[in-house]
Amino acid sequence: MSATIEGGRLQTAGRKAAAGGTRAAARRPAPARRTEETGPARVQAPAAEPRAETPLVSLKHRHLLGMQGLSSEEIEVILDTARSFAEVSTRTVKKVPTLRGKTVVNFFMEPSTRTRSSFEIAEKRLSADTLNFSLSQSSVVKGESLLDTARNLEAMAPDMIVIRHKASGAPHFLARHCRSNIINAGDGWHEHPTQALLDAFTIRGKKGRLKGLRVAIIGDLMHSRVLRSNIFLLKTMGADVVVCGPPTLTPVELERLGVQVTFRIDEAVEGADVIMMLRIQRERQKGGAFPTTREYYNLFGLTVERARRAKPDVIILHPGPMNRGVEIDSAVADGPYSVILEQVTNGVAVRMAVLYLLAGGTPGGLAD
Amino acid sequence: MLIRGGRVIDPATKTDAVMDLLITDGRIAERRPPEKGRGGAPAGARVLDAAGLWVCPGLVDMHVHLREPGQEHKETIESGTRAAAAGGFTSIACMPNTDPWNDSLSVTEYIVAEARRKGVVNVHPIGSVSKGGRGEELAEIGDMVHSGTVAVSDDGRPVGNSYLLRMALEYTKIFGIPVIDHCEDRTLSATGVMHEGYVSTVLGLEGIPAASEEIAVARDLAVAAMTKGRLHLAHLSTRGSLEKVRRAKEDGVVVTCEATPHHLVLTDQAVADADYDPNTKMNPPLRGEDDRQALLEGLRDGTIDAIASDHAPHHADEKLVEFDDAPFGVIGLETTVPLIMDRCVRAGVLTPARFVELLSLGPARILGIKKGTLEVGADADVTVIDPGLVRKVDVSQFQSKSRNCPFHGFSLSGWPVATVVGGRVVHELQPAATR
């Protein structure tokens, strides 16, 4: 699907998008599926009846709570839309009026540099009014509950809330109690959907496809929301996923998500098209999951020698923040196969796409 | 009072027949074949028409948290006993995790006195095993038994120290009361919030492995075998736990155990289906389907001796938070009977007699209270159930002060319609509500 932005208006190749949309709608899971499948529908209520003037591309859901439950058509729509938004960031005037008059609250209850600035830049380039709200400045430190904080934010009538929270399911909690569109910017160990989307956008940009690629994801599997979102996205898009980490940091029954699980990094890296490294938090060592960071590096660190087992054109991703010398050698992180900084660049385009699509793109907001 | 024409189900006397039940002076005075008309009722006696209904010995819930003294915003003895009456329970045993902790004669006496003043069903306190529930040294169990305690338990806290458990199982032989243990190896369950399995992996929530319960069950059974004391295991939730108890019973260990309605009806999938609703968070957590099936087998084959609600009220504000931060526990007094009637009796897992055993005779025997039967001379505690009544669970109608229930909106068949304590009707479902 081709998409371009002209004067702030998103144009897509209509026929294909419409066909895709119909297919997606036909595949919308019946409510009964939620009980037989093991996962919840990550996304809440279906979108309100699309208005006649709604653009051809749109998501089926009001919120982006996770990658689980999103169809390959929806993922493609987001990635295609992101491609057109990527171009905006290369202009001299990096701004389109798409979300003019919309208010977006960035509600970050956990430290974050990359994700928060990425969302903020994306919102500003779409001309949205933004409000940043972080843990240290919020009344949460005075003992206000998440619900009360959210209700107070809602009282100011924002259109969207981007939430980062230490508790898995916190975005679902907001989605239950708020009218705004909720975007999950990382919840506990659960999901970080825009990270998976920007990873996919980066991979697709380099490899031209996702289907059939061998992707190795290595690191702390247990505590990683990046892992879970990536597994859902990559499996939906037809990639082969192998995951690798210490057994002490591997959640139970992970293989039921359709991934190969190994405890040997050489096996994971072998023949990989993509290597995705996950951050190891040093606190995990104190929790007893491995004896020392030195031993972790010896067993699971990505070195140049190990990376050689992958395909010659392998690309290496890391969601950041990196621990050089713990999970990744600087020679790899800064080497020719690393796309780590491109991921950051792409993050803005992908988040612009998500914000745009969830906003429903009313024509009034799109006019120049 | 005359309860006329109901199906009297009383496994203690091996009775399952339509008969009239005459109650005088708070006791079962006579059981006789049904008579037509008003004949046989003493002048002025109330007649309760039970045609088509089950007439059971008053149900006993041996695992309830009444929260009073100390946490009256969650529940009081008054509201908790009203919830019990509405749910068909005529006797309940309340756990000692109050504030102050029930580890002394004075707290036990307070509970007994307050229950007499404001309670509408029989309340039997469970005292603490250890002083302050700290798991260090025995509480004054003799004092508490003297003032009405029917069992001891450190409740939500497992008796963490095997030596103390030994002392408790030996010391309680003086009084013939059971030691009730919550089985959990806290070094393994750590900071987990739900059952460890596929669903916790997908939801990114920290797991509580089945083994954390099973390790404690195995230890408790070993100590019980050694001491020959009376051990009762609360709210078992895993296949492994039941297999260990089954084997121990075969080996002659004196042990009984209970299961809760929520573990019998729901699995960990409920946490996902409810999108992290903290009303699906309790300890032990909702387990996998294989564990649930094992519990149903345990009900059938007699490994499980009682069904108990583990009624654990929490104020709405305490549960309206992130899943990780919410307290463990759900209420159950007002949903236990319809859940078990619908999901176990109607589903063919339990016979009516076995239903009464698990909810009345079984727990009464474990606690050593003279309840659980409708034989002539027994206390006139009676629960009347309409096996065909279909209603929806509506938490807004609960008598309990709390609403933390994962079953709101469930349509269930088989509800208690009248609860009689000592010959007095303490709850009756209004006909309007039965429509």
Side-chain angles (χ1 to χ4, degrees), chain B residues 236-307:
Chain B
L236 293 186
S237 68
T238 79
R239 177 175 290 277
S241 294
L242 288 185
E243 282 170 357
K244 286 172 183 58
V245 170
R246 190 176 288 125
R247 207 170 312 130
K249 284 184 166 185
E250 284 163 11
D251 294 346
V253 178
V254 185
V255 60
T256 51
C257 68
E258 74 195 29
T260 74
H262 45 270
H263 290 114
L264 289 164
V265 171
L266 300 175
T267 65
D268 55 351
Q269 179 58 31
V271 183
D273 290 343
D275 265 339
Y276 299 88
D277 181 351
N279 287 335
T280 57
K281 178 177 175 181
M282 67 291 284
N283 190 10
L286 297 172
R287 301 288 187 185
E289 178 61 16
D290 180 60
D291 294 308
R292 194 181 77 88
Q293 290 300 331
L295 291 181
L296 294 174
E297 279 166 41
L299 288 186
R300 267 193 297 258
D301 73 7
T303 303
I304 296 171
D305 305 276
I307 292 172

Side-chain angles (χ1 to χ4, degrees), chain A residues 58-184:
Chain A
S58 77
L59 300 180
K60 292 180 298 188
H61 309 280
R62 290 187 58 226
H63 310 296
L64 181 66
L65 302 182
M67 293 313 302
Q68 193 185 13
L70 254 69
S71 65
S72 57
E73 289 85 354
E74 285 174 293
I75 292 166
E76 267 168 26
V77 163
I78 297 170
L79 298 181
D80 289 342
T81 309
R83 199 160 52 192
S84 56
F85 278 117
E87 183 267 330
V88 174
S89 298
T90 65
R91 298 179 187 175
T92 351
V93 178
K94 299 180 180 59
K95 207 168 178 108
V96 288
T98 312
L99 292 189
R100 198 166 56 193
K102 300 267 184 197
T103 309
V104 183
V105 174
N106 298 314
F107 185 46
F108 277 63
M109 292 292 104
E110 223 186 28
S112 159
T113 325
R114 226 170 321 268
T115 306
R116 194 175 120 175
S117 18
S118 179
F119 265 107
E120 195 177 345
I121 290 177
E123 291 149 10
K124 292 201 153 94
R125 288 187 183 164
L126 290 170
S127 305
D129 297 315
T130 65
L131 171 71
N132 290 322
F133 205 79
S134 66
L135 183 63
S136 56
Q137 307 154 350
S138 77
S139 297
V140 174
V141 292
K142 298 180 195 163
E144 187 170 60
S145 74
L146 176 60
L147 181 61
D148 283 331
T149 309
R151 280 181 177 156
N152 279 284
L153 287 175
E154 278 271 295
M156 298 179 234
D159 298 285
M160 291 192 240
I161 298 176
V162 179
I163 177 175
R164 156 72 59 96
H165 200 283
K166 70 176 189 337
S168 297
H172 307 70
F173 182 82
L174 284 201
R176 269 204 298 280
H177 297 287
C178 296
R179 292 180 304 274
S180 313
N181 303 112
I182 307 296
I183 299 176
N184 181 0

